[in-house]
Amino acid sequence: MCCKMTDGKTCVHLASIITVVLCMCVFALIFQKSEKTMWRKAAGAALLALAVGYFYHTNPELPEQVLQYLSLPHPSTQGDPTLEQVISTAWETLITAPASQWGRVAVGVNACVDVVVSGIGLLQALAVDPGLGRDHEVLHSKEDLKEAFIHYMERGSAAERFFTDKEVFQRIARAAAEYPGAQLYVGGNAALIGQKLATYPQLMVLLCGPVGPKLHEMLDEQIVVPPESLQETDEYHLILEYKAGEQWGATRAPQANRFIFSHDVSNGEMRALEMFVASLDEFQPDLVVLSGLHMMEGQGRQMWEQRLKEAVAAISDVRNAVPVHLELASMTDKDYMNSIMQEQVMPIVTSIGLNEQELLFLSQAGTGPHAELASWGGIPDVGRVSDILLWVLEQHGRSDPESEADLTRIHFHTLAYHVLATVDGHWANQVAAVAAGARVASIQACGLQSIDASKVVLRAPLEFHSSHGEPREKLSLNPTEPVTVWHRGNVTFHLAPVLVCKQPLRTVGLGDAISAEGLVYSEIRPQLPFL
């Protein structure tokens, strides 16, 4: 019909266009992988044909323009890689083993069995109604539990609290174990880090902590547990998980995370600490990983003040040549955090691992940079994170060569990116270490053996600054070399983006796996003694 309304030359042009479009339809029908996608592409091509016919009368040159456009290569037809694919491929080149690797790693001292359940589902089963959120340093009742859970769920933040009432906790624990879909896992930072390290055959791993029969059964065979660590009953921790977008009452989770609570006196008092340190003489580790200090916070000031002094004395007995990594966790008592940071533990460890909530609380407790922030309010600003990390290494670490502190490395992790901050001259292979930590976060969250680019998304900022104040350097993320490096004084920062799992299967233990992986790929440089 169009040919009757136009001259022969135009008719040829229009026929050419229709022919090309029909070929596109046939191509879509033949080569698309799924029936749904196939008909969507075919319908799109048909709509294109109608659009060409409609606009032809208003632009006689349109046929030639369309033919030229259709002849050009396009990302959708050429299969250009996504940013996620580019970064995932680049990691394979960046992540290389250090020249000198650990052979024996000792890990202690918190270990338990995690009972993982739907947080909202369990609270509903306990006949608890939704309401307003409110933080509690310790939990005394189901009402406290509900309020603290909502408080952190609406922020999408992880947290861990001690439940004071043993009988009420045991009733909740029984309900959790009987809840449909409840799962039992290895729990406790030390045990989780030990499990991750044990996946490397070249490593011998010693784990000290309260290990009951169920936990002992679940541990990797490669893990050595001293007889003194074995006990008749297990310690149980309840992990209330929630998914991104999940809603309870007026509260909607901005991202997937979990709330942890327990009535765990063995770990709460770090009863295995002295035994852990005593076992090091025989085991002779190349690296010591310490965790569980956060568990003491719920035991009361009198107890933790005394126990922290004893912990410092025990850690100080570790021979100087062995680096000590401290894994931090959620805390709420500023006095307790200050004791760890200023007076007690932090100056005598070599490395620490922590997340965004713990980093901000550390600054708030010590009136450091950006302590006025109540929370991050989304993805933490890289410049602010950099400011706090630098402050920790300057005030409590060894950025000053004349300082007596041992702290030279901080591994910071948040959902969208990780940062490794190290004092120059003390660590090597940190590009690989931070990339390895980011990679394992993606893999473990998705429950896969390797990255599937279709199941992850890049949420890290493509541009950011080295500091929130002045002077500051503008930096950008290069997907083909996805570790950004900058310097502030004698501290070097390495940032790696995380490919965030779109539908995470499990969030518990991600921080422990990240720190463990980062340590595996890290190399410490021996320091010459001062003459």
Side-chain angles (χ1 to χ4, degrees):
M1 186 173 187
C2 288
C3 288
K4 293 179 181 179
M5 296 170 59
T6 57
D7 60 39
K9 182 178 179 181
T10 304
C11 201
V12 170
H13 284 307
L14 191 56
S16 300
I17 295 170
I18 294 173
T19 301
V20 171
V21 172
L22 288 175
C23 288
M24 289 174 63
C25 292
V26 174
F27 182 86
L29 289 169
I30 294 174
F31 290 102
Q32 297 307 314
K33 292 183 178 179
S34 68
E35 184 176 352
K36 182 178 179 181
T37 303
M38 174 174 63
W39 288 108
R40 186 167 60 244
K41 293 292 182 69
L47 287 172
L48 177 60
L50 290 174
V52 170
Y54 177 79
F55 287 110
Y56 165 70
H57 292 286
T58 61
N59 186 355
E61 301 301 320
L62 182 63
E64 292 296 336
Q65 296 171 4
V66 172
L67 286 174
Q68 291 174 7
Y69 175 80
L70 292 176
S71 67
L72 295 174
H74 300 290
S76 60
T77 59
Q78 295 297 311
D80 286 358
T82 63
L83 285 177
E84 289 80 6
Q85 289 171 326
V86 173
I87 290 172
S88 176
T89 301
W91 278 343
E92 300 306 314
T93 302
L94 283 177
I95 301 174
T96 57
S100 177
Q101 301 183 48
W102 317 108
R104 305 165 76 86
V105 182
V107 186
V109 292
N110 61 326
C112 64
V113 174
D114 281 345
V115 182
V116 182
V117 295
S118 161
I120 295 173
L122 177 62
L123 290 171
Q124 289 175 333
L126 295 172
V128 175
D129 295 324
L132 298 177
R134 179 188 174 194
D135 196 10
H136 295 272
E137 292 187 4
V138 293
L139 309 178
H140 302 287
S141 64
K142 290 192 295 184
E143 187 69 15
D144 287 355
L145 169 63
K146 176 198 77 173
E147 290 177 349
F149 175 80
I150 291 173
H151 176 82
Y152 286 99
M153 177 183 169
E154 64 188 3
R155 290 162 175 76
S157 299
E160 185 166 354
R161 295 292 180 268
F162 181 79
F163 201 102
T164 59
D165 193 317
K166 181 179 179 180
E167 292 184 2
V168 174
F169 175 79
Q170 288 177 339
R171 289 198 295 269
I172 297 174
R174 282 194 294 270
E178 295 169 2
Y179 188 81
Q183 296 176 302
L184 301 185
Y185 294 100
V186 170
N189 306 90
L192 287 165
I193 290 172
Q195 283 284 88
K196 185 60 187 175
L197 293 173
T199 61
Y200 289 88
Q202 77 274 15
L203 284 179
M204 181 176 289
V205 181
L206 174 78
L207 172 64
C208 291
V211 178
K214 185 62 179 177
L215 177 58
H216 199 205
E217 173 189 319
M218 293 190 292
L219 287 174
D220 191 287
E221 293 180 356
Q222 192 168 317
I223 294 177
V224 177
V225 179
E228 297 83 0
S229 281
L230 300 176
Q231 59 182 42
E232 294 181 358
T233 58
D234 286 282
E235 299 288 355
Y236 286 91
H237 288 204
L238 303 189
I239 317 296
L240 308 190
E241 290 197 320
Y242 49 85
K243 299 176 182 178
E246 194 170 0
Q247 187 159 352
W248 192 36
T251 304
R252 181 183 294 273
Q255 62 190 37
N257 223 314
R258 79 283 181 188
F259 183 85
I260 306 173
F261 68 105
S262 67
H263 179 85
D264 182 349
V265 178
S266 295
N267 285 304
E269 296 179 356
M270 294 188 76
R271 292 177 178 175
L273 180 61
E274 284 80 6
M275 180 268 295
F276 174 50
V277 174
S279 67
L280 300 181
D281 286 338
E282 181 180 350
F283 186 68
Q284 292 290 298
D286 305 313
L287 171 69
V288 171
V289 179
L290 177 67
S291 63
L293 288 176
H294 63 286
M295 296 292 297
M296 292 199 293
E297 182 184 48
Q299 303 300 312
R301 185 184 186 100
Q302 185 175 357
M303 193 286 294
W304 64 248
E305 277 187 338
Q306 178 61 34
R307 198 72 185 101
L308 205 54
K309 292 177 182 177
E310 295 167 354
V312 170
I315 298 168
S316 299
D317 288 340
V318 178
R319 56 192 173 93
N320 292 334
V322 179
V324 178
H325 172 85
L326 172 65
E327 190 67 15
L328 293 176
S330 177
M331 287 179 270
T332 60
D333 188 323
K334 291 184 179 180
D335 290 338
Y336 183 58
M337 174 59 91
N338 264 325
S339 292
I340 291 173
M341 181 169 51
Q342 296 180 1
E343 307 167 14
Q344 307 279 352
V345 181
M346 202 167 289
I348 64 173
V349 300
T350 320
S351 168
I352 61 174
L354 75 177
N355 66 19
E356 76 281 1
Q357 181 188 355
E358 294 143 16
L359 182 72
L360 182 57
F361 183 67
L362 191 152
S363 186
Q364 291 168 341
T367 60
H370 315 298
E372 74 283 356
L373 292 177
S375 63
W376 289 110
I379 296 174
D381 175 70
V382 176
R384 286 189 169 97
V385 167
S386 175
D387 291 342
I388 301 175
L389 293 174
L390 181 65
W391 169 75
V392 173
L393 289 172
E394 287 182 340
Q395 297 297 315
H396 310 291
R398 199 173 183 141
S399 66
D400 181 352
E402 296 183 2
S403 170
E404 294 183 358
D406 294 323
L407 180 63
T408 53
R409 177 183 184 270
I410 305 176
H411 191 165
F412 167 82
H413 51 86
T414 188
L415 180 71
Y417 65 88
H418 299 170
V419 176
L420 259 173
T422 54
V423 177
D424 294 346
H426 290 266
W427 294 87
N429 209 46
Q430 295 303 279
V431 169
V434 72
R439 181 177 64 178
V440 80
S442 303
I443 292 171
Q444 186 160 314
C446 287
L448 302 173
Q449 298 299 314
S450 60
I451 299 287
D452 182 341
S454 67
K455 296 183 178 181
V456 294
V457 61
L458 178 67
R459 292 188 182 175
L462 298 181
E463 291 187 342
F464 48 91
H465 291 91
S466 61
S467 172
H468 184 67
E470 299 293 342
R472 61 179 185 170
E473 179 184 1
K474 187 175 182 179
L475 303 163
S476 60
L477 176 65
N478 179 359
T480 61
E481 297 180 7
V483 173
T484 306
V485 182
W486 68 96
H487 306 273
R488 298 180 67 178
N490 66 336
V491 175
T492 299
F493 297 81
H494 301 80
L495 181 145
V498 174
L499 301 180
V500 180
C501 188
K502 296 176 183 177
Q503 296 181 324
L505 298 180
R506 187 168 181 247
T507 61
V508 176
L510 275 185
D512 302 308
I514 290 163
S515 287
E517 196 82 348
L519 288 169
V520 167
Y521 284 90
S522 290
E523 179 181 356
I524 192 164
R525 290 174 172 167
Q527 302 299 302
L528 295 175
F530 291 105
L531 299 177

